[in-house]
Amino acid sequence: MYSYIYTKSVKVFFFRILYFTVPALFLSFFIAHVYTIIELLWTFSIVLESVAIVPQLLMLSRTSKDKSIISHYLFALGSYKALYILNWIYCYNESNFYDPIVVFAGIVETIITFCGYFSIFIEPKAKSGPIRVVVTDAAGQLAYSLIFKIANGEVFGTQQQVILHLIDEPSAMEVLEGVCMEIDDLALPLVQGYVKTTKLEVAFKNVDAAFLLGTMPNNESKEKKDFLSSNVNTFKLLGEALDKFASKDVKVLVVGNPANTNALICSLNAPSIPKENFTAMTRLDQNRAQSAIAIYLGLCVSNIKNVTIWGNQSSTQFPDVFNASVQSCDSSTSVYDVIKDTQWLEDDFMKVNNPIEFG
């Protein structure tokens, strides 16, 4: 298995080299001073050197952990290339000589190096001022864990200030009051304030992000149709509140099952908000499918990418590996090509990933 992945990695590596060598070779034919073997090879080497930093930048962005050392290295490398420009100016002034090929290639390489530096190490600034974040069912256990992750910067970044909008039923206000007291006790610097309410128009007013956690409990005494009908009503109201009161660029995460259906209902009732701003959290089911493939292949779960889940969390949910891949180093191979056992994928794998309905 590992020898197969290694072989694929080597093949992919050499194939990707062609991305730079072939265009550089063709460009050399167009810009060479004279068409001799030595001149063409010299021109090719200059052009290739100007773009050879790109694979290194990609590798650094994926593998670097100590960014302080890497940033110093890239800044020094870019400065070293930039000093060439001063040398060319000096040579031109002293001897009226310059080589346009060398100058062009050097400028390209300098620009690529500094662009790579900024793209890897300069983090985007947080939104000026605090963002408003609404959490529904805010007195529940799930919200209890989530609220403090939002408040300490784990969700939106350690530079982003937040104003929390916490909403729940009137019967849960006493518990929610305790949550707010804990927020006060922690005195987290990112929290610029909070709003606790039972009213949708207050909770969703000008919010930039929404975490929709609560659904009607699916207890055994209720019929499935009653469970779905109640959630339709709930997420219809939430969607209308988003449409009427929230920022038009609000990002919405729906957690309560059936998450996909609830997200769709919410989106349909908020027509002024882009559909791509709604996300249903079915990560548990995706993780289950991803882990099953990793265990079967004897690999780390991080090697399995692009597993897709279709449908709600129920007996009809479908884990899809059509676009899934096994990755190692720079290689990416289809799950079907690696497993080569369609019987397992179509039978045992489906059984492993058959979740408890509305679990």
Side-chain angles (χ1 to χ4, degrees):
M1 174 65 207
Y2 288 101
S3 62
Y4 173 80
I5 292 178
Y6 175 78
T7 302
K8 292 290 290 184
S9 300
V10 173
K11 290 180 180 178
V12 170
F13 173 76
F14 283 109
F15 179 73
R16 288 183 176 178
I17 289 178
L18 297 178
Y19 291 169
F20 301 99
T21 56
V22 173
L25 183 60
F26 274 104
L27 183 60
S28 302
F29 279 95
F30 287 101
I31 65 176
H33 295 306
V34 293
Y35 291 103
T36 64
I37 296 297
I38 297 300
E39 185 70 21
L40 285 172
L41 290 177
W42 176 83
T43 305
F44 173 63
S45 68
I46 294 297
V47 174
L48 186 60
E49 182 187 11
S50 69
V51 295
I53 189 66
V54 174
Q56 186 177 358
L57 292 173
L58 294 175
M59 180 189 70
L60 289 173
S61 66
R62 294 180 181 180
T63 62
S64 60
K65 293 183 179 180
D66 190 349
K67 289 193 173 183
S68 61
I69 295 176
I70 302 300
S71 62
H72 293 318
Y73 162 72
L74 279 182
F75 187 82
L77 181 63
S79 301
Y80 154 71
K81 298 299 180 184
L83 289 174
Y84 270 102
I85 299 175
L86 297 178
N87 180 62
W88 298 328
I89 296 173
Y90 173 80
C91 291
Y92 181 75
N93 289 332
E94 290 295 317
S95 57
N96 198 32
F97 170 80
Y98 77 99
D99 191 315
I101 296 176
V102 174
V103 173
F104 174 75
I107 293 174
V108 169
E109 186 173 3
T110 303
I111 292 173
I112 290 175
T113 303
F114 277 112
C115 285
Y117 171 84
F118 285 109
S119 66
I120 295 174
F121 297 102
I122 304 301
E123 297 181 357
K125 293 182 179 180
K127 178 180 177 181
S128 58
I131 60 173
R132 294 181 177 271
V133 183
V134 61
V135 179
T136 67
D137 196 25
Q141 287 297 315
L142 182 57
Y144 186 81
S145 299
L146 174 62
I147 288 169
F148 294 101
K149 289 183 179 296
I150 297 172
N152 67 15
E154 289 186 48
V155 177
F156 296 102
T158 56
Q159 302 299 316
Q160 182 60 66
Q161 298 175 336
V162 296
I163 298 175
L164 298 168
H165 290 218
L166 310 177
I167 180 172
D168 212 317
E169 297 294 327
S171 59
M173 282 297 103
E174 186 175 348
V175 177
L176 186 56
E177 182 66 33
V179 174
C180 294
M181 289 176 63
E182 290 196 40
I183 295 174
D184 291 333
D185 291 343
L186 288 172
L188 295 169
L190 294 180
V191 178
Q192 295 300 295
Y194 57 79
V195 176
K196 55 181 184 295
T197 183
T198 61
K199 299 181 182 298
L200 291 174
E201 60 270 23
V202 176
F204 285 87
K205 185 174 179 59
N206 297 327
V207 294
D208 302 287
F211 294 88
L212 309 185
L213 308 184
T215 60
M216 183 177 179
N218 182 33
N219 54 51
E220 295 181 359
S221 63
K222 283 193 172 293
E223 295 288 338
K224 186 191 300 184
K225 63 179 181 180
D226 296 328
F227 169 72
L228 292 173
S229 177
S230 298
N231 279 298
V232 166
N233 294 331
T234 298
F235 283 89
K236 179 177 181 293
L237 292 174
L238 293 176
E240 291 172 347
L242 284 165
D243 190 65
K244 187 174 182 180
F245 304 111
S247 164
K248 297 310 175 186
D249 192 39
V250 63
K251 305 300 187 296
V252 184
L253 178 65
V254 178
V255 177
N257 284 318
N260 287 336
T261 299
N262 291 338
L264 176 63
I265 294 168
C266 195
S267 174
L268 292 175
N269 285 278
S272 66
I273 298 172
K275 297 294 181 287
E276 59 269 21
N277 287 22
F278 291 82
T279 301
M281 197 181 78
T282 55
R283 185 73 202 197
L284 172 64
D285 307 297
Q286 181 181 343
N287 288 349
R288 183 183 291 120
Q290 197 170 335
S291 297
I293 295 171
I295 293 170
Y296 181 87
L297 295 175
L299 296 173
C300 295
V301 70
S302 60
N303 292 109
I304 313 303
K305 305 292 184 182
N306 297 331
V307 175
T308 306
I309 299 297
W310 298 98
N312 286 304
Q313 192 178 60
S314 68
S315 59
T316 59
Q317 187 180 80
F318 184 78
D320 180 7
V321 295
F322 183 79
N323 294 306
S325 62
V326 179
Q327 296 191 350
S328 179
C329 297
D330 286 333
S331 72
S332 180
T333 310
S334 169
V335 164
Y336 278 97
D337 292 340
V338 178
I339 292 180
K340 297 180 180 178
D341 186 352
T342 55
Q343 179 64 33
W344 181 82
L345 287 170
E346 295 174 0
D347 188 10
D348 294 341
F349 176 62
M350 294 298 172
K351 293 177 180 178
V352 168
N353 291 277
N354 184 10
I356 299 174
E357 190 165 9
F358 298 128

